[in-house]
Amino acid sequence: MDINFNKNEDYNKLLITDLRKRFAKVKLGGGQKRIDKHHAKGKMTARERIDYLLDKKKPCIEIATFAGDGMYEEHGGCPSGGVVIKIGYVSGKQCIVVANDATVKAGAWFPITGKKNLRAQEISIENRLPIIYLVDSAGVYLPMQDEIFPDKEHFGRIFRNNAVMSSMGITQIAAVMGSCVAGGAYLPIMSDEALIVDKTGSIFLAGSYLVKAAIGENIDNETLGGATTHCEISGVTDYKAKDDKDALDTIRRTMGRIGDFDKAGYNRTAPTRPIENEKDIYGILPKSRSDQYDMKEIIKRLVDDSEFDEYKKDYGKSIITCYARIDGWAVGIVANQRKVVKNKKGEMQFGGVIYSDSADKATRFIANCNQKKIPLVFLQDVTGFMVGSKSEHGGIIKDGAKMVNAVSNSVVPKFTIIIGNSYGAGNYAMCGKAYDPRLIVSWPSANLAVMSGTAAAKVLLQIEKASLLKKGEEITPEKEKELFNNIKERYDNQISPYYAASRIWTDGVIDPLDTRKWISLGVEAADHAPIEKPFNLGVIQV
């Protein structure tokens, strides 16, 4: 190992330590005091409920852990978006579980809460994956109701999705384990089966205080909408549980009776680990986002037996296209090569840049994977498409458009891992969030933006200087340096993987060593949903 490997390893391991510290903080939800109060009521927390429900010896992944990170500070924050979502197994059946975290503002819905819940339903719909709701919420967070209530992708879309999912035959089970009020009361009742926990669960369109104000009726919440009321009088719920564990045990038994699903038929053999040491990733991945490295060495540490068959190996070398297996699943990998390479004419090509020949190769490879029904994995470390007169005259826009077309119209499931840079149109061509990857995650080393912090700061600095000079201000070298540093710091914060994760532009920030698990669980989920339409590129300029 050389000195650079050791420096890279130390740096990337520090990023992993930071990731774990951030996760430990998020896991506390609204804080230990609120967790203690929750326990005092005889209730489990959202994470405790999910952990109890999921099969213990099966893998699971958490979606949008860092949703809301650094947002809504003026309202006290919204850790993890006030809701916990995991993909795992219940009684051997893969499913997605959504649990309100009542330690965060009593489980009230912030705008990011709605976005996160919609993401869970999107995953369920795309993959025909059973979904379980563990409800414990005070409803919409009223100080921000205008940002969560009326629009198409707001609170009401949840119930519209409930109805659509039901018509699609997607299993939905809901357990009311705390408050379930106002419009939120429709969610469990629009599910296939609904449970309610005695004495702690309640469902009503309006609570006792609002009933008193609206119609003058005096009634307590338990009589108004408790378990006895809804299981014995209204018939709104189907099962009464004595406590949280009893409700979760009932769900486990219900899931255990569900029949098998129609499979998409993605190819899988017995899984094997990579032969190369997976932890070497920390040393291979450079500290600086502008440094070069060989992406093939990363791929060797992600795929079974460290083996892959490279498609068009000696053509379009700034993108690697290859067939491999990840945890037994056959996949097609599209990855940005991050070292300087020579093209077929002997010309040098920069690492991380998409050239015309690379875009052409990727387009053909994506079409082949669709033809063979092989899921696609995109490994992003891309600065964008090549610019300049030579590229423009060579038709880079046309070739880039072909690649974007292929990604857009792909019918096999796509999975995106943002390893390093994810800039500009490169993000799009390499299956960014706008191109419907089934799952998209980043490593702690990732940067997501229109361009790098340094490049953007230089552009913004020129604009700032011009504005100040117009006002007659003198720009000294010291002043210029201060302006540059302030702009870059502001911009660097926005390109952080945590900034993206907080807004659910990605499904999370993960340890590189968890990449295989995410892809494997993602392909397994996708296998629930047979492909329903043929691959068609539409109109493209050849």
Side-chain angles (χ1 to χ4, degrees), residues 292-297 299 310 316-320 334-341 349-354 358 361 379 381-382 430:
Q292 305 287 300
Y293 66 96
D294 189 350
M295 181 64 83
K296 292 180 185 179
E297 294 302 317
I299 294 173
E310 197 168 348
K317 293 182 180 179
S318 75
I319 283 183
I320 299 164
V334 181
N336 303 111
Q337 177 56 287
R338 280 294 298 161
K339 70 175 186 177
V340 175
V341 294
Q349 294 185 337
F350 299 106
V353 179
I354 302 175
S358 302
K361 176 172 80 170
L379 302 180
D381 194 344
V382 58
M430 291 295 293

Side-chain angles (χ1 to χ4, degrees), residues 220-518:
D220 63 89
N221 282 338
E222 182 64 25
T223 306
L224 181 66
T228 299
T229 295
H230 286 309
C231 286
E232 299 180 21
I233 301 172
S234 72
V236 163
T237 50
D238 307 308
Y239 307 95
K240 183 198 287 187
K242 63 182 180 182
D243 56 25
D244 282 8
K245 288 186 177 181
D246 186 34
L248 298 170
D249 287 338
T250 302
I251 292 173
R252 289 186 62 81
R253 291 192 297 273
T254 301
M255 286 294 294
R257 291 189 286 266
I258 293 175
D260 205 357
F261 55 91
D262 295 331
K263 295 177 176 63
Y266 301 119
N267 186 283
R268 192 181 197 187
T269 58
T272 58
R273 303 297 306 183
I275 293 173
E276 301 288 347
N277 188 349
E278 296 170 61
K279 292 182 180 179
D280 285 349
I281 288 173
Y282 300 137
I284 295 167
L285 197 64
K287 176 179 177 179
S288 171
R289 290 275 45 83
S290 60
D291 285 353
Q292 305 287 300
Y293 66 96
D294 189 350
M295 181 64 83
K296 292 180 185 179
E297 294 302 317
I298 298 290
I299 294 173
K300 287 177 184 177
R301 287 153 180 85
L302 294 177
V303 302
D304 293 11
D305 294 322
S306 298
E307 290 182 352
F308 56 89
D309 293 315
E310 197 168 348
Y311 173 83
K312 290 185 180 290
K313 178 180 179 181
D314 297 317
Y315 175 72
K317 293 182 180 179
S318 75
I319 283 183
I320 299 164
T321 49
C322 61
Y323 298 105
R325 290 190 182 273
I326 293 179
D327 200 38
W329 293 104
V331 296
I333 296 173
V334 181
N336 303 111
Q337 177 56 287
R338 280 294 298 161
K339 70 175 186 177
V340 175
V341 294
K342 286 184 179 180
N343 67 8
K344 58 189 175 183
K345 298 177 183 178
E347 299 166 334
M348 303 305 293
Q349 294 185 337
F350 299 106
V353 179
I354 302 175
Y355 291 78
S356 285
D357 53 358
S358 302
D360 175 63
K361 176 172 80 170
T363 300
R364 289 180 60 85
F365 181 73
I366 290 166
N368 271 330
C369 286
N370 276 271
Q371 185 85 352
K372 297 177 177 68
K373 205 159 75 170
I374 299 174
L376 285 158
V377 175
F378 292 82
L379 302 180
Q380 281 196 14
D381 194 344
V382 58
T383 54
F385 286 89
M386 190 58 189
V387 297
S389 61
K390 188 173 182 180
S391 292
E392 297 293 358
H393 297 170
I396 185 65
I397 295 176
K398 179 178 66 176
D399 291 318
K402 287 193 293 186
M403 183 176 174
V404 169
N405 195 312
V407 173
S408 303
N409 287 300
S410 178
V411 295
V412 296
K414 307 181 292 274
F415 304 90
T416 302
I417 313 297
I418 304 172
I419 290 175
N421 302 318
S422 181
Y423 296 150
N427 169 280
Y428 301 159
M430 291 295 293
C431 197
K433 182 66 181 289
Y435 292 81
D436 299 320
R438 296 293 176 96
L439 294 171
I440 176 170
V441 293
S442 64
W443 291 358
S445 49
N447 288 334
L448 287 81
V450 171
M451 61 183 75
S452 71
T454 299
K458 287 177 180 178
V459 174
L460 294 170
L461 176 63
Q462 297 308 310
I463 297 170
E464 183 73 11
K465 281 172 61 180
S467 176
L468 292 173
L469 288 169
K470 269 188 178 181
K471 296 175 183 177
E473 294 190 31
E474 182 183 353
I475 309 296
T476 65
E478 292 77 18
K479 176 71 172 176
E480 183 171 333
K481 184 178 180 181
E482 181 186 353
L483 283 171
F484 177 83
N485 289 336
N486 288 341
I487 292 169
K488 188 173 184 303
E489 182 181 356
R490 200 164 59 239
Y491 195 88
D492 281 347
N493 178 58
Q494 293 181 3
I495 69 176
S496 158
Y498 295 101
Y499 190 90
S502 71
R503 288 151 180 81
I504 319 183
W505 299 343
T506 66
D507 292 315
V509 184
I510 67 168
D511 186 329
L513 302 187
D514 287 332
T515 303
R516 283 170 52 85
K517 177 173 71 172
W518 274 77

Side-chain angles (χ1 to χ4, degrees), residues 88-150:
Y89 302 82
V90 175
S91 296
K93 303 288 194 308
Q94 193 181 33
C95 60
I96 186 164
V97 185
V98 181
N100 300 113
D101 186 350
T103 70
V104 179
K105 289 286 192 296
W109 287 54
F110 284 72
I112 200 67
T113 316
K115 187 173 183 179
K116 186 169 176 178
N117 275 268
L118 287 170
R119 177 61 180 142
Q121 290 185 322
E122 180 182 38
I123 291 170
S124 175
I125 291 169
E126 285 183 330
N127 300 289
R128 306 294 192 272
L129 208 58
I131 188 166
I132 298 168
Y133 308 99
L134 306 180
V135 185
D136 194 345
S137 172
V140 166
Y141 182 62
L142 289 178
M144 302 188 75
Q145 65 85 27
D146 62 321
E147 297 181 47
I148 182 62
F149 170 65

